[in-house]
Amino acid sequence: MERHRQGPRRQEEDGSDDGREDDGVLSAFVCPITMQVMRDPVVIETGHAYERDAIARWFDECRELGRGPCCPITMQEVRRADLRPVLALRAAIEEWADRRQGDELRRACQWLAKDATEKEAVRAIGCAARGWSGGRAGRCVVRGEGMMQMVGGMLRSGSAVVRLRALEAIQEFAKETDQDREAVSQGDTIRTIVKFIDCEDCQERELAVSVLCDLSKSEVVCGKISELNGAVLILSKVAGSKANNPTIAEKAEKTLQNLDKCEKNAVQMAENGRLEPLLNLLIEGSPEKQLLIASSLEKIVLSNDLKILVAQRVGSLFAGVVEKGNLEAKEVAFKVLEHISTNAESAKVLIEEHVILPLFRVLSINRANLLPPRLQEAAAAVLANLVASGVDFGTVPLDGDRTLVSEDIVHSLLHLISNTSPPIQCKLLEFFDTLSSSTGTVVSIVSAIKSSGAITNLVQFVESDHQESRLASLKLLYKISFHMDHEIAQVFRASPTLLGCLVEVTFLNDGNTDEQHAALQILANLPKRDKHLTRELMEQGAFKIVARKVLSICRREAGSDIYDNAVLEGLVKVLARITYVLRDEPRCISLAREYNLAALFTSLLRFNSLEEVQLVSAKALMNLSLESKYLTTTPKFDEPEHKSKLALFGRKPSSFQFCPVHSGVCSIRGSFCILDGKAVERLVHCLNHGNKKVSEAALAALCTLLEDEVEILEGVLVLHRANGIAPIFDILKENPTGSLQHRVTWAVERILRAEEIAKAASTDGSLGSALVHAFQHGDSRTRRIAEAALKHVEKIPIFSQIIDKRPSMRGSSMGSMERFYKLDR
């Protein structure tokens, strides 16, 4: 009997019983060998019942010991080793076990339903798990008593042991039917499990992932998982951590795959970055389903990587919808295409999927009436996004040999701009603006605009009330103004109102800075020698505003702000216009004096980082200096003899600022004489500029000191004092070509008229070699001037019939540079 009692005591210690036992029943049900309740009882010859497996092993051990089988209780040898089943006993045991298990499960329910201790909770969960694995009757009790939900509630326990036991039990419950999975997932069970997945406890985390994987086999549970905010994102993070824990990652990926199979989860999955299921449904679905899915896709915010994926998977599908779908489908397709085309890489994929041709056909003026304006606007927006991808559209075929920048294609879209609503106009103008930003396509765009005569319509957008269209047109006009400055100027000349609108946008509106910048650059690029435009700008007070703005920026020190630098370049170009019409427009001379522009342009030469500002300022100083000889005032003296003596000794009355070069009274404000102030020194400094255009412009300004009708030797002396002669010689020694070669050769020839300089230069072999090079390789004018210079340094003999031995110091047979200056653009 002692052996018989060990089994129940062990059960009590394991927590499987409450300490009460029915010995009368248990003694008949317990196997004498295993001391456990029998499941398959059999009887032998002696009439004693045993567990089938246990007595079979006993008989085998007897044979191994070399003796016949015997009864374990009586040790009486049995003649036959037959094992006869005891069906009645088995039935009784099963009935007793079911009743006992039911009692245990009900007691466990009581523990789970109350605020149980950790020990009670662990025993109750263990009881539920054993009841579930014990057979059909136990499962019926677990289901009927709602123990699955109770165990799920234990996941919120403060005890880690209880939580782990609950997860293990739920995993057992989830292995059977979808009904069981749905039952155990009621309440906050799914939310709590997902919380465990995102926790730091590795054991809870791994078990939670495994449990969720089993639960996700049910479509209903999949829906609950997807509805839980952040669940898919957390699973995706775990699935991507294969390097840290491959097992957990594999389970998480399997869970996501289970979620993928549920159609209603596709949108939720897509919103969390898992797009493949939705795209698969889109590709495989019926037209009605495709429309529904595409409508959902259009509302999802996509990362750039996902935009590329969408373009690759369904770009061609949407291209077909754009061309052949109904209006509702087209609208959705346009919205999706507009969304994914905002990324340059996905836009390139769409171009490869041949989306451009359907878009162009939709926008074609011949078919414009077939679509409502909102769809045309969407198509234009997609087209504008595609051209912003940076692809060379001159090489992308549209149909046949035509490209998007073919003349007839551009003509068609330009015509549409004039015959559509402002929103569509805006998108098309942005389209042309982007194409004009590329050196590969701007020439084709400009050519088509010229041949179509569309420039008038494009310029008229300057006075548009639709701000977006006005901004897009200004940007476009700025880009093409480098190639169509005369055509744009012609439109402004014909309509002073348009020019006034441009000035208003540039200077008088406190609007969009991009708009102001584009308008300013258009003004800056207009032909600078156009007298009509300059007078009109003078009438509208533009130059006074510009002068004040330039002074303001200079006071803040240009170079401190990138935007200020760009604005300063445009302003200086506009302001420099007046220096090209000084002789024909007295008001420009007055304005130049009022704002002391010669000093202002001199000051701008110091900004070494702004090459364009230096270039324009040097050219403006050249123009101003050319007028000095006409604006110089000749002093009047009471005694002619006194004047000659002053001239002889180089003195001047204290009441006059006497200029030796212009032989009169000069100032940088009144007559724009560059000897006043630091203009000559700063121009000489620019001769060594790394940008040859700046060097040439500075040289041109200095050459005005050597012009006809001025004292050339005095001009040479000024250059000598400013250390400007050596840099001029150095420019010639570099053997330049073109206009710079002619200009520097001309300057050297005039400098060499000073005998002392010519004598010193005659020993400079490199200078002589440079003059020989100019004499041999220059144009006819340059060769003639180089010949004269070579005679000054006695490299060529002087023949009186060819050239005077002593050329005039005020003018020369070599001619003035002024005509050459006027040709300079």
Side-chain angles (χ1 to χ4, degrees):
M1 290 299 296
E2 184 64 27
R3 292 176 64 194
H4 288 198
R5 292 192 184 96
Q6 288 178 359
R9 270 205 302 272
R10 286 171 185 164
Q11 291 176 343
E12 184 178 350
E13 290 171 0
D14 292 340
S16 60
D17 199 359
D18 63 348
R20 295 178 299 173
E21 58 179 73
D22 189 345
D23 288 338
V25 176
L26 288 177
S27 61
F29 295 165
V30 173
C31 173
I33 299 175
T34 64
M35 303 306 295
Q36 301 290 333
V37 176
M38 294 180 287
R39 296 181 180 276
D40 186 11
V42 295
V43 67
I44 61 175
E45 284 183 359
T46 60
H48 293 284
Y50 301 93
E51 182 70 51
R52 179 185 292 275
D53 291 342
I55 191 62
R57 286 197 302 273
W58 174 268
F59 287 166
D60 290 339
E61 290 176 2
C62 290
R63 295 187 185 97
E64 289 176 1
L65 293 174
R67 50 185 287 189
C70 65
C71 176
I73 295 176
T74 65
M75 299 305 293
Q76 178 182 350
E77 186 173 346
V78 296
R79 292 171 294 176
R80 298 175 59 185
D82 294 340
L83 304 178
R84 290 173 293 170
V86 188
L87 299 180
L89 180 58
R90 178 188 296 178
I93 291 174
E94 289 178 352
E95 182 182 355
W96 169 83
D98 290 343
R99 185 172 63 252
R100 185 173 182 273
Q101 187 179 61
D103 293 340
E104 290 178 347
L105 290 173
R106 279 184 283 274
R107 287 195 298 273
C109 284
Q110 295 174 1
W111 286 330
L112 293 174
K114 68 174 185 177
D115 189 12
T117 64
E118 179 181 293
K119 183 177 180 181
E120 290 174 337
V122 170
R123 290 178 64 184
I125 294 171
C127 182
R130 286 191 300 275
W132 182 263
S133 59
R136 184 172 55 85
R139 291 179 186 177
C140 290
V141 175
V142 171
R143 293 189 183 108
E145 297 294 332
M147 297 188 71
M148 291 181 176
Q149 294 84 347
M150 294 179 182
V151 173
M154 289 291 103
L155 292 174
R156 296 189 295 275
S157 171
S159 168
V161 177
V162 173
R163 294 196 300 269
L164 285 172
R165 294 295 179 268
L167 283 171
E168 290 171 352
I170 291 173
Q171 188 171 28
E172 291 298 320
F173 300 155
K175 289 181 178 179
E176 295 299 324
T177 65
D178 285 349
Q179 185 179 0
D180 296 329
R181 298 183 185 103
E182 293 160 17
V184 79
S185 65
Q186 292 180 9
D188 281 346
T189 302
I190 297 298
R191 179 183 182 87
T192 309
I193 293 174
V194 173
K195 179 182 177 181
F196 290 152
I197 295 175
D198 202 33
C199 74
E200 297 298 327
D201 190 301
C202 295
Q203 191 175 3
E204 284 187 357
R205 186 184 188 194
E206 185 169 354
L207 190 53
V209 173
S210 183
V211 169
L212 199 64
C213 182
D214 289 334
L215 290 173
S216 66
K217 296 174 182 177
S218 165
E219 186 174 336
V220 174
V221 177
C222 283
K224 291 182 179 181
I225 297 173
S226 296
E227 290 170 2
L228 183 60
N229 186 32
V232 174
L233 194 61
I234 292 172
L235 285 168
S236 299
K237 181 181 73 172
V238 176
S241 60
K242 294 181 180 180
N244 299 329
N245 195 322
T247 304
I248 294 181
E250 184 180 354
K251 290 282 186 179
E253 180 62 32
K254 180 61 178 176
T255 305
L256 289 171
Q257 291 173 5
N258 291 337
L259 296 177
D260 291 351
K261 297 174 184 176
C262 184
E263 183 174 328
K264 68 178 183 180
N265 291 340
V267 175
Q268 177 75 13
M269 300 284 286
E271 290 174 347
N272 286 276
R274 198 174 178 90
L275 263 182
E276 287 288 356
L278 189 69
L279 297 181
N280 291 334
L281 291 173
L282 185 60
I283 295 170
E284 299 166 1
S286 63
E288 294 77 14
K289 183 175 289 187
Q290 286 179 337
L291 178 60
L292 182 62
I293 295 173
S295 299
S296 302
L297 180 62
E298 177 260 323
K299 299 172 185 176
I300 298 173
V301 178
L302 302 174
S303 66
N304 288 337
D305 290 341
L306 293 180
K307 289 177 183 178
I308 296 173
L309 176 63
V310 173
Q312 291 171 339
R313 293 292 308 278
V314 295
S316 58
L317 174 66
F318 284 122
V321 173
V322 164
E323 191 164 13
K324 300 178 181 179
N326 58 38
L327 287 180
E328 187 178 8
K330 285 179 186 288
E331 185 167 10
V332 174
F334 280 132
K335 288 180 180 178
V336 175
L337 288 173
E338 184 176 3
H339 182 33
I340 63 178
S341 62
T342 54
N343 174 49
E345 295 305 316
S346 57
K348 291 176 182 178
V349 174
L350 290 176
I351 294 169
E352 294 173 358
E353 295 294 333
H354 309 292
V355 174
I356 296 179
L357 183 57
L359 290 173
F360 172 73
R361 287 173 177 167
V362 167
L363 288 170
S364 173
I365 191 64
N366 297 326
R367 299 181 58 184
N369 295 329
L370 297 179
L371 287 179
R374 70 178 186 278
L375 296 189
Q376 282 189 300
E377 181 183 354
V382 177
L383 198 59
N385 288 342
L386 293 180
V387 299
S389 64
V391 173
D392 182 5
F393 283 88
T395 61
V396 177
L398 190 62
D399 60 343
D401 296 332
R402 297 192 303 174
T403 67
L404 201 56
V405 293
S406 294
E407 190 170 273
D408 59 327
I409 302 294
V410 177
H411 283 179
S412 178
L413 295 176
L414 288 171
H415 185 52
L416 179 60
I417 291 179
S418 305
N419 296 274
T420 190
S421 61
I424 302 174
Q425 290 173 337
C426 178
K427 295 301 180 182
L428 291 175
L429 287 168
E430 290 175 357
F431 162 80
F432 282 117
D433 170 51
T434 305
L435 286 179
S436 299
S437 301
S438 169
T439 56
T441 55
V442 65
V443 175
S444 299
I445 298 298
V446 168
S447 176
I449 292 175
K450 287 182 178 179
S451 61
S452 65
I455 189 63
T456 301
N457 292 331
L458 294 177
V459 173
Q460 287 175 347
F461 279 101
V462 171
E463 56 183 359
S464 172
D465 294 330
H466 192 262
Q467 185 177 7
E468 289 78 11
S469 297
R470 184 171 66 244
L471 173 59
S473 68
L474 288 171
K475 288 183 175 181
L476 172 60
L477 290 173
Y478 165 48
K479 302 284 177 56
I480 63 177
S481 64
F482 294 97
H483 310 272
M484 299 184 66
D485 53 339
H486 289 284
E487 289 81 359
I488 295 173
Q490 186 176 357
V491 178
F492 282 126
R493 280 197 300 270
S495 177
T497 304
L498 283 175
L499 186 62
C501 289
L502 186 65
V503 172
E504 184 177 353
V505 170
T506 308
F507 304 118
L508 304 180
N509 282 351
D510 295 329
N512 188 302
T513 54
D514 291 337
E515 189 177 75
Q516 292 175 330
H517 177 70
L520 174 61
Q521 299 305 325
I522 294 170
L523 282 175
N525 286 347
L526 292 175
K528 54 196 174 190
R529 295 186 183 277
D530 192 313
K531 299 176 184 177
H532 181 90
L533 287 179
T534 302
R535 291 191 184 101
E536 190 59 41
L537 290 171
M538 180 71 72
E539 290 287 342
Q540 297 182 15
F543 292 119
K544 290 186 177 182
I545 298 173
V546 172
R548 289 194 290 268
K549 285 183 176 292
V550 172
L551 285 169
S552 175
I553 294 177
C554 286
R555 290 190 187 105
R556 295 201 307 267
E557 277 298 317
S560 60
D561 185 275
I562 295 176
Y563 177 75
D564 271 357
N565 292 346
V567 170
L568 181 60
E569 288 182 8
L571 291 172
V572 171
K573 287 181 180 179
V574 174
L575 189 60
R577 289 183 64 89
I578 65 175
T579 67
Y580 289 87
V581 295
L582 291 171
R583 202 168 302 174
D584 301 310
E585 186 54 63
R587 289 181 300 175
C588 289
I589 293 179
S590 299
L591 189 143
R593 287 171 171 169
E594 179 183 355
Y595 289 95
N596 197 5
L597 293 190
L600 179 58
F601 285 120
T602 299
S603 176
L604 291 170
L605 290 175
R606 73 181 190 276
F607 298 128
N608 293 324
S609 60
L610 304 178
E611 295 181 359
E612 193 67 22
V613 170
Q614 289 181 303
L615 174 64
V616 175
S617 299
K619 290 183 177 181
L621 284 172
M622 175 192 74
N623 294 334
L624 290 166
S625 183
L626 282 173
E627 299 304 309
S628 295
K629 58 191 176 187
Y630 304 112
L631 300 175
T632 298
T633 302
T634 303
K636 296 180 180 180
F637 301 98
D638 293 335
E639 300 179 9
E641 292 182 3
H642 185 55
K643 174 183 176 181
S644 61
K645 290 180 181 179
L646 288 173
L648 179 63
F649 292 101
R651 298 175 183 175
K652 52 187 180 297
S654 59
S655 58
F656 296 101
Q657 182 68 34
F658 188 82
C659 176
V661 175
H662 300 115
S663 301
V665 178
C666 282
S667 69
I668 194 166
R669 178 187 287 272
S671 62
F672 319 133
C673 179
I674 61 175
L675 269 67
D676 190 12
K678 298 182 179 180
V680 173
E681 290 81 355
R682 287 181 176 163
L683 287 169
V684 168
H685 180 74
C686 288
L687 290 175
N688 297 318
H689 203 285
N691 187 332
K692 294 302 179 183
K693 291 183 178 180
V694 177
S695 300
E696 183 175 359
L699 176 62
L702 292 172
C703 283
T704 60
L705 301 177
L706 308 176
E707 265 290 314
D708 291 345
E709 302 180 9
V710 302
E711 295 293 340
I712 296 176
L713 290 183
E714 292 291 345
V716 173
L717 183 59
V718 169
L719 292 176
H720 174 70
R721 289 171 179 168
N723 299 316
I725 293 178
I728 294 175
F729 285 175
D730 289 340
I731 293 175
L732 180 64
K733 292 174 184 179
E734 293 176 1
N735 295 327
T737 58
S739 61
L740 180 57
Q741 182 189 50
H742 176 76
R743 199 186 298 272
V744 71
T745 304
W746 184 91
V748 169
E749 188 274 328
R750 298 225 163 185
I751 291 171
L752 292 178
R753 292 182 185 185
E755 291 184 1
E756 291 186 3
I757 295 177
K759 183 177 180 181
S762 64
T763 61
D764 188 344
S766 57
L767 179 64
S769 176
L771 286 171
V772 171
H773 182 273
F775 177 67
Q776 293 175 340
H777 299 94
D779 57 23
S780 58
R781 296 178 304 161
T782 304
R783 288 198 300 270
R784 187 164 175 244
I785 296 171
E787 180 184 3
L790 287 169
K791 290 178 179 179
H792 293 320
V793 293
E794 298 179 355
K795 298 294 182 180
I796 295 179
I798 300 175
F799 300 103
S800 58
Q801 64 269 27
I802 297 177
I803 188 170
D804 295 337
K805 293 181 180 180
R806 296 182 63 81
S808 170
M809 294 299 102
R810 289 182 65 88
S812 166
S813 57
M814 294 301 103
S816 170
M817 285 291 291
E818 188 165 348
R819 286 185 61 194
F820 186 78
Y821 293 142
K822 290 182 178 180
L823 294 176
D824 176 40
R825 293 184 54 80

